[in-house]
């Protein structure tokens, strides 16, 4: 008999979306485990590709199979629960198994390049020499098979701890430290004229402990330290550095607040369900009601009983304010995962989690895959946020993945929001979720802010500046005189600044996408926000040559300029994609505002989430309408959520807060109910509309998007797909389209969409897999097809 390994190879095609069998060579048997990454020969040329081992098997000796070429890791990168999770996800997420598996490991491990792992410095140097020769030999791939086996045996026996260091040094960051060779140094004569050398000698003899070379360089030049190294007075060694260490150094430990009765009831109820099968919890709590404090207490309990926890927050609210709250309570047990990290930093955090050092993972969407063992709780804050849905393959929703993982671990799943998604709130009504509520602000002095609606139409013709009504300006002036702060939000969704010719009406559009170019004054360019195309700002009309070319739209820049003109005394900070492009810029702006270095924070949606500044007493929404008119059935829901969130930034401490919403649609229910901050009323009204129109949560939805560079082809194919759907799905299923997407062309591709609405349909999965297969046909080579279960974005 031969041992076989089932391998999912990194070749994302329908034909390869299944495990392939490979023989396990005898000398690799010890090191290979479920979840290991391997290199295997694949296809006609036997090209080596990367793959994941997902199972084992046995077969008779005469079976002809190829053999695994190499193991890439000492310890598997995926555990059995994660492999099971991938199986479970495949049923709902219409993308290939390999893309799901790859989503679960840091991208650094997914590259096709050779990144073999070597045993870490945790091995005693002496041992290393005895077993393997010099330390440089320790590249696993460079060891001969005998020695590879020896290493594997030691790992299996738990004799050595293996860590993930890759051959490519970029994957680990090291720092140079020095060691003082005391005896040599003491005996070393230094000439009288070399004053600095003598100083260093004295210094090192006085404090002979090992230290960082950079610290030494603060006081002594590189030249001098080099001299000491060359003379053997100090020796240099490299220490691996955690790239996230900086997060943890400056944060003061903080005590837990004692909970109010509403909060403690919730903590008690949730913690009582840990370790058994339980329904998810939905926590609906108004802004500032102390949800985060509840999360912290639950996690504290989870750690006390020896389990681990994941807390997901939207990318945009992974601000230092938020992460610091976790670090200040749980210190080094926290791992932080967000998109601002470099590949290397992500890899470090992943290793911290995998090794068991980190037990609390705070992160954005993909942190739901964190390789924690023994999970006790998964918490999703702001559970309504659209960013929990990944908009590229694999198109998973973090909420669905969390639900699966919670089941696998018998962990509790807690979804929290001031404005839950309509779907989640409906599930709570149907007792699919436990429903929990926090109805008052946690700080007894903080009151719910008073919200006023300002009808833009009343001020037409009276305004000096287009973004601000005199009413709002007066309120801002009032805050300036009281030395209180103001937050202003420009709702940018569906908006852009563009250039139009007043004579011929020409609008400058992207040559690759059917969308106008956005004006960026900071770089003096016109940019396409879809494909990245840029050009300089036209001085005359490219179409008719006229000079009457004008800039339109209300970017944050324009609003900033207007505000600076009418309130020259105000110190204004601007926060939008342009001012936060640089790493750390986001944090810096918030820090400055927190230190009251500015009176006004003007920004896009970015400022609506999570900010907690006690001196903010006025929040202004410049344009509530823009997100209302989007061709998306969730437009009202999103607008309501955004307005409620941003209103929650006012009056969070002792001083009373006020909110002004400028709008052209004061009668719209989303705006009316945001004014009352009445989520429950909004929920009931929205449900009646969803019911009438047959949208979620009354129906499930699947979106199909077909893209091709030739419009005729994509239309033809879309009708082929429609035919297939009509032929194979039952008559109760409603099919809308094909229609061009609201932005019909991007990246020089035409996009058409079909929306399927259904309540029960046994054949859905098989029909969709059949359609996915269609694009594998060689006649459809250039056709792109996306199947999106419960699409969140219709633009
Ligand atoms: P949410 O996450 O619901 O917006 P937070 O947990 O951020 O609410 O709490 C809002 C404010 O109230 C914070 O400043 C927090 O420190 C404070 N807070 C929360 N819980 C309590 C409590 N039990 N006692 C006193 N203050 C609290
Ligand atoms: Zn023109
Ligand atoms: Zn473009």
């Amino acid at each position: 008999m031969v041992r076989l390994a089932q391998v999912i190879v990194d070749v994302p095609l329908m034909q390869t979306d299944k495990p392939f069998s490979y023989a396990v060579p005898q000398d690799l048997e010890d090191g290979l485990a479920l979840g290991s990454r391997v290199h295997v020969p694949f296809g006609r040329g036997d090209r080596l590709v990367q793959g994941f081992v997902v199972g084992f098997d046995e077969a008779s000796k005469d079976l002809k199979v190829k053999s695994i070429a190499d193991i890439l890791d000492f310890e598997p990168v995926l555990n059995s629960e994660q492999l099971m999770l991938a199986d479970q996800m495949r049923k709902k997420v219409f993308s290939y198994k390999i893309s799901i598996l790859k989503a679960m490991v840091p991208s650094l491990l997914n590259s096709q390049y050779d990144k073999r792992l070597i045993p870490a410095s945790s091995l005693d140097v002496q041992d290393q020499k005895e077993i393997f020769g010099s330390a440089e030999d320790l590249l696993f791939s460079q060891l001969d098979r005998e020695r590879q086996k020896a290493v594997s045996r030691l790992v299996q026996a738990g004799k050595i701890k293996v860590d993930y260091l890759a051959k490519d040094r970029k994957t680990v960051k090291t720092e140079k430290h020095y060691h003082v060779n005391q005896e040599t140094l003491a005996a070393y004569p230094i000439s009288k004229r070399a004053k600095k050398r003598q100083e260093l000698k004295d210094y090192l003899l006085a404090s002979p402990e090992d230290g960082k070379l950079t610290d030494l360089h603060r006081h002594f030049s590189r030249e001098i330290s080099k001299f000491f190294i060359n003379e053997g007075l100090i020796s240099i060694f490299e220490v691996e550095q955690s790239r996230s260490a900086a997060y943890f150094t400056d944060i003061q430990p903080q005590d837990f607040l004692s909970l109010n009765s509403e909060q403690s009831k919730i903590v008690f109820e949730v913690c009582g369900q840990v370790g058994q099968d339980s329904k998810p919890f939905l926590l609906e709590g108004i802004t500032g009601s102390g949800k985060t404090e509840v999360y912290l207490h639950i996690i504290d309990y989870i750690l006390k009983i020896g389990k681990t926890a994941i807390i997901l927050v939207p990318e945009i609210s992974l601000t230092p304010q938020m992460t610091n709250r976790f670090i200040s309570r749980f210190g080094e047990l926290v791992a932080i995962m967000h998109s601002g990290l470099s590949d290397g930093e992500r890899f470090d955090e992943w290793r911290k989690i995998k090794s068991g050092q980190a037990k609390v993972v705070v992160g954005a969407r993909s942190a739901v895959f964190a390789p924690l063992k023994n999970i006790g709780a998964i918490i999703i804050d702001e559970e309504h946020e659209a960013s929990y849905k990944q908009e590229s393959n694999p198109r998973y929703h973090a909420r669905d993945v969390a639900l699966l993982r919670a089941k696998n671990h018998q962990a509790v799943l807690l979804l929290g929001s001031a404005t839950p998604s309509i779907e989640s709130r409906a599930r709570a009504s149907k007792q699919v979720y436990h429903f929990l509520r926090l109805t008052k602000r946690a700080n007894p002095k903080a009151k719910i802010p008073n919200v006023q609606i300002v009808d833009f139409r009343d001020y037409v013709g009276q305004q000096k500046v287009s973004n601000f009504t005199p009413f709002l300006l007066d309120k801002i002036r009032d805050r300036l005189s009281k030395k209180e702060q103001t937050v202003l939000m420009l709702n940018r969704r569906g908006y852009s600044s563009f250039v139009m010719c007043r004579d011929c009406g020409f609008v400058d559009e992207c040559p690759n996408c059917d969308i106008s170019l956005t004006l960026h004054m900071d770089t003096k360019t016109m940019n396409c926000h879809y494909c990245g195309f840029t050009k300089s700002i036209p001085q005359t009309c490219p179409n008719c040559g006229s000079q009457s070319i004008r800039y339109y739209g209300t970017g944050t820049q324009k609003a900033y300029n207007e505000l600076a003109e009418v309130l020259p005394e105000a110190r204004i900070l601007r926060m939008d994609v342009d001012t936060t492009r640089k790493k750390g810029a986001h944090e810096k702006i918030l820090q400055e505002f927190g230190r009251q270095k500015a009176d006004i924070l003007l920004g896009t949606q970015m400022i609506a989430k999570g900010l907690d500044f006690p001196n903010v007493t006025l929040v202004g929404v410049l344009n509530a309408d823009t997100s209302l008119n989007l061709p998306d059935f969730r437009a009202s829901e999103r607008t309501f959520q955004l307005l409620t969130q941003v209103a929650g930034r006012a009056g969070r401490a002792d001083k009373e807060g006020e909110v002004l919403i400028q709008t052209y649609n004061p009668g719209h229910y989303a705006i009316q109910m945001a004014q009352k901050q009445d989520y429950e009323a909004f929920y009931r009204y929205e449900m009646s509309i969803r019911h009438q129109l047959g949208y979620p949560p009354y129906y499930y939805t699947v979106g199909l998007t077909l893209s091709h560079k030739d419009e005729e082809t994509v239309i033809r194919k879309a009708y082929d797909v429609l035919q297939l759907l009509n032929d194979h799905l039952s008559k109760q299923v409603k099919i809308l389209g094909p229609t061009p997407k609201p932005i019909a062309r991007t990246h020089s591709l035409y996009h058409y969409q079909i929306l399927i609405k259904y309540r029960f349909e046994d054949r859905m999965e098989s029909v969709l897999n059949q359609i996915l297969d269609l694009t594998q046909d060689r006649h459809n080579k250039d056709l792109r097809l996306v199947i999106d279960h419960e699409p969140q974005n219709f633009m």
Side-chain angles (χ1 to χ4, degrees):
M1 296 298 264
V2 288
R3 196 154 179 245
L4 295 180
Q6 310 291 352
V7 178
I8 300 270
V9 293
D10 190 1
V11 181
L13 290 174
M14 200 60 182
Q15 299 93 303
T16 56
D17 193 38
K18 56 171 191 267
F20 286 81
S21 293
Y22 284 91
V24 181
Q26 248 187 358
D27 53 356
L28 290 183
E29 224 163 70
D30 286 346
L32 201 65
L34 268 185
S36 292
R37 292 181 311 145
V38 289
H39 273 169
V40 290
F42 191 81
R44 252 181 257 146
D46 275 351
R47 178 171 68 95
L48 284 189
V49 298
Q50 193 168 303
F52 292 90
V53 175
V54 297
F56 288 104
D57 214 343
E58 279 190 344
S60 73
K61 273 241 187 301
D62 35 277
L63 183 79
K64 271 193 120 93
V65 286
K66 296 173 188 171
S67 293
I68 289 178
D70 233 329
I71 310 178
L72 303 187
D73 312 296
F74 278 102
E75 278 185 335
V77 293
L78 293 171
N79 62 36
S80 55
E81 188 252 326
Q82 289 172 309
L83 294 177
M84 177 164 80
L85 184 67
D87 279 338
Q88 295 166 328
M89 282 175 67
R90 176 63 181 85
K91 294 192 177 42
K92 252 194 158 182
V93 174
F94 288 89
S95 55
Y96 304 115
K97 190 78 170 287
I98 187 68
S99 49
I100 299 174
L101 293 172
K102 284 170 78 174
M104 295 182 178
V105 299
S107 52
L108 208 61
L109 297 182
N110 282 332
S111 84
Q112 288 288 337
Y113 303 107
D114 187 12
K115 288 221 172 64
R116 286 154 210 240
L117 306 174
I118 61 171
S121 44
S122 57
L123 251 182
D124 185 85
V125 178
Q126 201 55 44
D127 288 352
Q128 290 181 17
K129 284 216 174 110
E130 274 171 21
I131 309 171
F132 308 114
S134 79
E136 284 77 68
D137 267 358
L138 278 177
L139 281 178
F140 188 54
S141 55
Q142 285 172 11
L143 299 177
D144 58 42
R145 280 282 157 88
E146 273 311 304
R147 290 206 229 163
Q148 285 193 352
K149 263 163 80 178
V151 175
S152 297
R153 266 198 305 274
L154 285 166
V155 173
Q156 305 277 311
K159 289 260 168 55
I160 53 174
K161 200 174 152 345
V162 166
D163 208 343
Y164 294 85
L165 298 183
K167 180 170 163 182
D168 170 355
R169 298 298 290 175
K170 269 190 306 210
T171 56
V172 265
K173 193 171 164 196
T174 58
E175 198 177 32
K176 286 199 164 108
H177 285 223
Y178 63 87
H179 173 78
V180 182
N181 302 319
Q182 268 175 303
E183 281 168 31
T184 325
L185 179 62
Y188 192 88
I190 284 179
S191 100
K192 283 226 169 62
R193 275 174 302 157
K195 285 221 178 79
K196 276 280 169 194
R197 286 183 194 168
Q198 186 61 46
E199 259 179 53
L200 179 55
K201 180 177 170 181
D202 293 345
Y203 171 79
L204 292 174
L205 289 176
S207 39
E209 309 82 37
D210 293 356
K212 291 184 194 172
L213 198 58
T214 47
D215 288 344
L216 212 57
H217 286 154
R218 283 210 190 113
H219 308 287
F220 302 96
S221 72
R222 278 164 199 281
E223 231 170 291
I224 292 184
S225 69
K226 210 163 167 189
F227 175 81
F228 275 59
I229 296 166
N230 289 342
E231 295 297 309
L233 308 178
I234 56 176
S235 16
I236 299 299
F237 59 101
E238 298 208 351
V239 172
E240 196 198 326
Q241 200 191 7
S242 161
R243 271 161 286 216
S244 63
Y247 284 125
F248 297 91
T249 44
D250 300 333
I251 298 167
Q252 297 295 319
Q254 235 175 46
D255 284 337
F256 288 85
L257 302 175
S258 48
L259 299 179
N260 62 37
S261 64
E262 268 190 342
Q263 287 173 313
S264 25
K265 233 182 99 204
I266 289 170
V267 172
F268 182 78
E269 206 167 319
V270 173
C271 291
Q273 301 284 317
V274 178
Q276 55 195 65
D277 285 325
S278 68
K279 294 184 205 170
F281 293 88
L282 176 66
L283 169 57
E284 179 191 321
I286 61 166
T287 54
S289 59
K291 294 185 292 297
T292 311
E293 198 60 40
V294 165
Y295 307 153
L296 291 163
H297 279 257
I298 292 171
I299 294 170
D300 187 44
Y301 168 80
I302 295 290
L303 292 175
K304 285 197 175 117
I305 60 169
K307 290 180 176 263
T308 63
I310 299 176
I311 157 114
L312 299 183
V313 294
E315 186 67 57
I316 207 165
S317 45
L318 261 175
T319 59
Q321 267 197 329
M322 184 72 174
T323 51
N324 290 358
R325 278 178 84 174
F326 285 87
I327 295 170
S328 67
R329 306 286 171 91
F330 307 117
E332 298 269 355
L333 293 178
V334 177
I336 307 274
M337 295 269 220
H338 60 81
S339 69
L341 301 180
S342 67
D343 282 357
E345 288 169 326
R346 285 182 152 261
F347 182 62
D348 284 355
E349 293 303 287
W350 179 81
R351 288 161 59 211
K352 258 169 64 181
I353 301 164
K354 200 161 163 17
S355 70
Q357 187 196 333
K359 299 198 183 310
V360 178
V361 178
V362 183
R365 182 181 58 227
S366 66
V368 75
F369 296 119
L372 285 171
K373 293 190 192 99
N374 202 8
I375 300 173
I378 304 177
I379 298 170
I380 304 185
D381 188 32
E382 314 260 17
E383 71 87 33
H384 62 278
E385 272 290 309
S387 65
Y388 285 125
K389 177 74 185 280
Q390 174 148 303
E391 291 293 346
S392 59
N393 278 333
R395 289 168 192 267
Y396 65 92
H397 198 298
R399 200 199 288 134
D400 299 333
V401 179
L403 190 63
L404 294 169
R405 284 204 92 180
K407 269 220 168 64
N408 295 343
H409 286 261
Q410 296 200 309
V412 289
L413 172 60
L414 173 63
L415 311 172
S417 176
T419 53
S421 64
I422 296 293
E423 285 94 329
S424 292
R425 178 62 187 80
R427 282 181 203 128
S429 287
K430 299 218 141 191
Q431 277 89 48
V432 180
Y433 295 169
H434 289 291
F435 191 35
L436 306 169
R437 289 183 78 182
L438 284 172
T439 55
K440 338 186 252 292
R441 284 208 159 170
N443 178 342
K445 288 191 205 136
K447 284 203 216 76
I448 306 293
N450 169 31
V451 182
Q452 286 186 63
I453 292 179
V454 185
D455 190 344
F456 244 132
R457 295 169 305 184
D458 294 346
Y459 293 92
V460 172
Q462 298 175 34
Q463 286 163 253
K464 279 211 218 72
V465 284
S466 62
N467 281 300
F468 302 88
T469 58
F471 192 68
L472 175 58
L473 285 174
D474 281 345
K475 297 276 182 191
I476 300 174
R477 282 196 194 96
D478 174 56
R479 293 323 190 278
L480 284 174
S481 71
K482 290 188 198 148
K483 304 245 174 303
E484 293 173 356
Q485 290 173 295
T486 300
V487 166
L488 296 173
M489 186 186 74
L490 188 76
N491 186 353
R492 255 190 66 97
R493 235 181 107 87
Y495 232 111
S496 65
S497 330
F498 58 99
V499 168
M500 190 170 99
C501 172
R502 297 244 301 220
D503 288 342
C504 74
F506 173 85
V507 172
D508 216 354
E509 285 190 350
C510 175
N512 314 315
C513 310
D514 281 349
I515 192 160
S516 53
L517 293 168
T518 302
L519 183 69
H520 285 245
M521 285 310 280
D522 53 344
T523 49
K524 304 259 186 310
T525 51
M526 308 284 300
N527 300 1
C528 173
H529 283 189
Y530 279 84
C531 73
F533 174 86
T534 58
K535 63 180 250 190
S536 57
I537 302 171
Q539 299 304 312
T540 55
C541 172
N543 188 40
C544 73
S546 155
Q547 305 264 336
S548 316
I549 189 145
R550 291 286 179 276
Y551 307 138
Y552 287 88
T554 52
T556 30
Q557 181 133 30
K558 187 164 170 229
Y560 179 94
N561 293 344
E562 287 185 357
L563 199 58
E565 196 184 308
V566 289
L567 299 174
E569 71 277 24
R571 297 166 303 167
I572 312 166
L573 281 171
R574 178 181 144 210
M575 190 152 102
D576 57 19
V577 280
D578 293 334
T579 62
T580 54
R581 239 187 291 269
K582 269 207 219 112
K583 202 175 168 178
H586 187 227
E587 286 84 347
K588 220 177 118 204
I589 294 172
L590 293 178
Q591 243 172 34
E592 272 183 57
F593 193 63
R595 292 199 193 118
Q596 313 209 15
K597 295 260 164 64
D599 308 299
I600 300 171
L601 176 63
L602 166 72
T604 51
Q605 271 82 330
M606 272 180 207
I607 62 165
K609 309 263 152 58
L611 305 186
D612 192 0
F613 294 118
N615 199 37
V616 172
T617 59
L618 175 65
V619 166
V621 178
L622 302 187
N623 54 340
D625 311 285
T626 46
S627 56
L628 271 183
N629 305 321
L630 297 174
D632 186 331
F633 73 88
R634 290 193 181 87
S636 300
E637 182 183 356
R638 298 259 160 79
T639 304
F640 175 84
Q641 286 163 342
L642 181 62
L643 295 178
T644 311
Q645 287 291 341
V646 71
R649 300 310 114 212
R652 291 179 68 86
D654 308 356
K655 294 176 192 161
E656 208 164 318
E658 190 177 3
V659 179
L660 288 192
I661 297 176
Q662 300 186 141
T663 175
Y664 287 98
N665 293 293
H668 193 285
Y669 67 96
I671 291 184
Q672 290 274 325
M673 287 163 187
Q675 180 189 17
K676 297 193 191 89
Q677 297 179 72
D678 190 346
Y679 171 81
E680 287 294 313
F682 175 78
Y683 164 70
R684 285 190 299 272
Y685 195 92
E686 184 67 21
M687 282 293 274
S688 68
I689 291 180
R690 300 282 179 92
H691 184 67
Q692 273 170 32
L693 301 178
Y695 277 116
Y698 292 97
Y699 281 81
Y700 297 112
T701 53
V702 173
L704 299 166
T705 303
L706 293 98
S707 309
H708 197 275
K709 58 182 190 303
D710 176 48
E711 190 167 15
E712 243 175 74
T713 308
V714 70
I715 294 174
R716 204 156 25 83
K717 295 292 172 192
Y719 278 96
D720 289 350
V721 168
L722 179 67
Q723 186 71 46
L724 247 164
L725 293 171
N726 280 329
D727 289 352
H728 292 93
L729 295 176
S730 58
K731 295 290 161 256
Q732 288 94 301
V733 175
K734 299 183 181 183
I735 303 170
L736 309 180
T739 52
K741 281 231 169 206
I743 297 165
R745 191 177 64 120
T746 65
H747 306 84
S748 301
L749 294 174
Y750 290 90
H751 311 293
Y752 275 73
Q753 64 186 6
I754 293 172
L755 186 67
I756 308 172
K757 302 198 290 183
Y758 66 103
R759 304 193 70 155
F760 311 98
E761 180 61 51
D762 295 338
R763 273 165 293 181
M764 191 59 75
E765 194 188 328
S766 68
V767 173
L768 291 176
N769 273 324
Q770 202 181 330
I771 291 172
L772 198 61
D773 225 2
L774 197 74
T775 54
Q776 299 301 317
D777 191 322
R778 66 193 161 79
H779 299 297
N780 294 329
K781 220 162 45 124
D782 296 331
L783 183 71
R784 287 216 327 219
L785 171 75
V786 166
I787 300 181
D788 196 355
H789 196 91
E790 298 301 325
Q792 296 290 315
N793 183 357
F794 289 87
M795 292 299 283

